[in-house]
Amino acid sequence: GDDLVLTVDGSLQYAVESILAGQVASTGAQGGIAVVSNPETGELLALANVQTDPTTGIVGNTGNDLAVTANYEPGSVNKLITLAGALEEGLVTPETVVQVPSALRVADHTYYDSHPGDLTVTDILAKSSNVGTIKLAQRLGPTKLDEYLRRFGFGRSTGLGLPHEESGDVPDVDDWYGTSIGSIPIGQGISVTAMQMLFAYNVIAN
């Protein structure tokens, strides 16, 4: 006889589903995920998952909760985690200037940057600088970078209790390659779910 009260806002949920479906249809994507939450409380206000039927081409809601069941490499959005770690450890301030070359060799791989020059840490984030982020990660070091990835919730369940939730994949430092200190800071070589990344960004927004 108890009531079950969701944090989902019905009107917002309908709007998010409609906008997401329209965007997926217009871009010809296979599917899409959209999650809206209150960063102060973590409450989920809307959660939409849509997929395109390969036979009919029609975009519709799916019972597969892709926001927690689909792993993906986060890419550049992971740079914020690297910068947060460097700032939290006191290695840099937002005004610290970093010399960013157009290319940086890490082990047997070369990483390139489209915004070389003397960049502040703020610039590195605003311009999404690959090499700048890697240089900050090198100051932070593998152990600390791994610590911050895990403190932000990567590699483990969100605790929401949603069915078939994936935990993503964050390799142990002992299993890193020589290039990992270059690839992981910029969101390659790890995997997350959309919900994990949202929760990480909520920490920053909050």
Side-chain angles (χ1 to χ4, degrees), residues 144-179:
K144 278 293 182 180
L145 178 58
D146 176 76
E147 176 186 325
Y148 277 95
L149 289 168
R150 297 181 190 281
R151 286 175 64 181
F152 271 96
F154 299 158
R156 59 181 169 84
S157 168
T158 61
L160 289 173
L162 295 173
H164 310 297
E165 179 177 359
E166 292 285 339
S167 297
D169 181 49
V170 179
D172 291 333
V173 174
D174 291 341
D175 296 326
W176 281 27
Y177 299 100
T179 55

Side-chain angles (χ1 to χ4, degrees), residues 8 33 70 73 82 91 103 107 109 115 119-120 126 131-132 145 179 182 195:
V8 171
I33 306 164
E73 283 192 335
T82 305
L91 301 175
H109 184 76
H115 301 283
L119 303 182
T120 66
V131 171
L145 178 58
T179 55
M195 193 69 73

Side-chain angles (χ1 to χ4, degrees), residues 47 69 72 107 144 179 197 199 203:
L47 172 56
T69 64
Y72 69 99
K144 278 293 182 180
T179 55
M197 187 54 73
F199 282 7
V203 173

Side-chain angles (χ1 to χ4, degrees), residues 11-196:
S11 298
L12 184 60
Q13 176 72 24
Y14 177 79
V16 169
E17 288 178 1
S18 300
I19 294 168
L20 180 62
Q23 186 68 10
V24 168
S26 66
T27 59
Q30 295 179 355
I33 306 164
V35 192
V36 182
S37 74
N38 181 340
E40 293 185 356
T41 63
E43 293 175 332
L44 297 181
L45 306 179
L47 172 56
N49 299 277
V50 301
Q51 286 184 313
T52 303
D53 188 309
T55 305
T56 64
I58 297 174
V59 179
N61 292 333
T62 173
N64 182 4
D65 195 352
L66 298 168
V68 296
T69 64
N71 290 319
Y72 69 99
E73 283 192 335
S76 288
V77 293
N78 197 57
K79 293 173 182 175
L80 185 64
I81 310 303
T82 305
L83 268 66
L87 290 166
E88 184 70 16
E89 291 297 311
L91 301 175
V92 293
T93 70
E95 294 77 32
T96 300
V97 175
V98 179
Q99 292 183 336
V100 178
S102 59
L104 180 67
R105 188 78 171 176
V106 179
D108 60 354
H109 184 76
T110 301
Y111 296 86
Y112 296 95
D113 204 294
S114 56
H115 301 283
D118 292 338
L119 303 182
T120 66
V121 171
T122 299
D123 291 333
I124 288 172
L125 180 61
K127 298 177 184 294
S128 191
S129 168
N130 287 336
V131 171
T133 302
I134 293 169
K135 293 189 78 171
L136 293 179
Q138 289 173 330
R139 294 190 192 186
L140 191 58
T143 300
K144 278 293 182 180
L145 178 58
D146 176 76
E147 176 186 325
Y148 277 95
L149 289 168
R150 297 181 190 281
R151 286 175 64 181
F152 271 96
F154 299 158
R156 59 181 169 84
S157 168
T158 61
L160 289 173
L162 295 173
H164 310 297
E165 179 177 359
E166 292 285 339
S167 297
D169 181 49
V170 179
D172 291 333
V173 174
D174 291 341
D175 296 326
W176 281 27
Y177 299 100
T179 55
S180 293
I181 194 62
S183 59
I184 290 176
I186 60 175
Q188 301 168 5
I190 65 170
S191 66
V192 301
T193 66
M195 193 69 73
Q196 286 176 326

